[in-house]
Amino acid sequence: MYHAKPLNKGDCGVGSPKQGNDVTGIRTSFSMIFAMAVTLWPFAASADFRESDLKADPSGQFYCDETMDWCFGLAQKPSNAGEGHTPLLLVLRDGKEVTRQEIILGKRRHDGNGGWRKTGIWPHRFHDPQRRGAFLMGIVTTTTVGYSGGGASVAMLSLIRVDPTPGNNPTGTPPVLGMVATVPLEASKMIRACFSEHDVIDRHQVCHDEYDFEASITPLSDVGAQVGDDDAGQGNMPSLRYVARASRFPPNADLGTDSSVRPQLSKQEMVRAADLSCSFDAVFRFDHKAEEYEIDLPIEGCEIYLIP
């Protein structure tokens, strides 16, 4: 279950859109809003688990920690269903491959909408200060769908638990990999809103409805699962802070309404507005028995963002 921190209108700001089809300015403004919201979170960064970056190696095929102790890459093999490919996670330890494992990312409700998917290594990991125990890394799956005059993209983060010494087995034992959570990381959607010169005038030459979602995930100082004598080798997993912010442009954008029959937009409405139905702060805790995080997102409020 997530422990949500309620938001109100004062928790989210607004930004001004950039004219035309280029939404870079809009996303920059939204990122600033998002960053400000993150700094308001009352918890400190984890003293037990830390976040560090993974960077591409010279070959560009693997993402590695700063000491090159751990590197991660993706390969593909034909799926058992005969449709598309299934990712294989390749793990290198000290420059040598120690395991490769098929990762079942799960079928999303929007998979039937067409478009295309790509997978990549999330360039971060969460680990203990000594870098000896189990840690978290991730795979990002991005689904992109094209529309007439617009499109949508949704990125989902699958967190993978990597246990270097399962069951306290001797060094050299292949690490054990396990999926522990899948959460939305980023989404954007552009819907064409001008179909005549009159529409262009009514919308002040801004001819798309736009929807954006962005989230961050970081370890917290409290550890979500304690290890007893019977759990040797399983390792602690931290609780995770998850901060999500959603916004729309214009504020009255609605996928269920024909934009051409809406009233003319005023200049005061030419702003990006926070969507409180899909903006929330949450804490995910690790269920040690189930070996996964307890996650319960407000799907109903977020469907317009997370289903392309």
Side-chain angles (χ1 to χ4, degrees):
M1 298 291 289
Y2 75 88
H3 299 266
K5 179 183 178 183
L7 301 180
N8 53 51
K9 291 184 179 180
D11 292 325
C12 300
V14 295
S16 299
K18 188 174 182 179
Q19 302 294 315
N21 295 343
D22 183 0
V23 297
T24 302
I26 296 174
R27 289 178 181 163
T28 300
S29 298
F30 184 62
S31 295
M32 292 174 63
I33 297 168
F34 175 75
M36 291 173 62
V38 170
T39 62
L40 298 176
W41 187 270
F43 294 101
S46 174
D48 303 306
F49 267 70
R50 300 174 182 177
E51 177 179 354
S52 61
D53 293 337
L54 300 176
K55 296 184 178 180
D57 71 350
S59 73
Q61 296 180 338
F62 291 89
Y63 277 81
C64 305
D65 62 18
E66 63 271 23
T67 62
M68 303 293 287
D69 288 342
W70 291 96
C71 295
F72 308 94
L74 288 175
Q76 292 186 339
K77 74 171 188 177
S79 67
N80 295 332
E83 299 179 358
H85 294 78
T86 300
L88 287 172
L89 177 59
L90 280 61
V91 181
L92 307 185
R93 185 80 185 268
D94 297 326
K96 298 180 180 180
E97 182 176 322
V98 291
T99 191
R100 61 173 58 197
Q101 182 172 315
E102 180 179 337
I103 302 297
I104 306 300
L105 297 175
K107 185 176 180 61
R108 302 286 301 168
R109 285 183 294 171
H110 59 250
D111 284 354
N113 292 0
W116 57 278
R117 296 175 65 178
K118 68 175 182 179
T119 55
I121 298 296
W122 188 49
H124 309 282
R125 76 176 182 126
F126 302 155
H127 57 84
D128 64 82
Q130 289 75 32
R131 302 172 185 266
R132 296 176 181 174
F135 59 87
L136 297 173
M137 54 81 61
I139 297 174
V140 177
T141 304
T142 303
T143 302
T144 303
V145 176
Y147 304 144
S148 175
S153 178
V154 176
M156 301 294 295
L157 171 64
S158 297
L159 286 174
I160 311 296
R161 183 177 184 272
V162 181
D163 190 348
T165 55
N168 287 335
N169 286 332
T171 301
T173 301
V176 171
L177 312 180
M179 177 94 68
V180 293
T182 298
V183 293
L185 197 61
E186 186 177 10
S188 63
K189 186 174 294 185
M190 295 181 64
I191 306 297
R192 181 182 176 186
C194 293
F195 300 90
S196 68
E197 288 297 325
H198 186 269
D199 293 339
V200 175
I201 295 171
D202 281 352
R203 290 183 59 96
H204 307 281
Q205 299 183 344
V206 181
C207 288
H208 288 92
D209 288 348
E210 297 164 3
Y211 303 81
D212 282 281
F213 173 93
E214 191 170 358
S216 72
I217 186 166
T218 52
L220 284 175
S221 56
D222 63 321
V223 176
Q226 300 299 322
V227 177
D229 294 338
D230 296 332
D231 302 318
Q234 292 301 310
N236 291 345
M237 285 288 102
S239 295
L240 301 176
R241 175 185 67 187
Y242 184 82
V243 180
R245 297 291 180 265
S247 68
R248 308 184 189 200
F249 171 79
N252 65 349
D254 183 357
L255 288 176
T257 303
D258 184 349
S259 61
S260 65
V261 301
R262 291 190 214 137
Q264 180 179 353
L265 289 175
S266 67
K267 289 194 175 181
Q268 289 74 22
E269 292 175 305
M270 301 296 291
V271 296
R272 174 166 296 281
D275 183 349
L276 298 183
S277 67
C278 190
S279 296
F280 57 94
D281 300 347
V283 174
F284 302 146
R285 303 193 185 280
F286 190 70
D287 184 332
H288 184 61
K289 292 183 178 180
E291 295 187 351
E292 62 183 17
Y293 280 92
E294 298 176 341
I295 295 175
D296 183 12
L297 301 178
I299 297 299
E300 291 185 3
C302 297
E303 282 185 337
I304 64 170
Y305 299 95
L306 305 182
I307 300 180

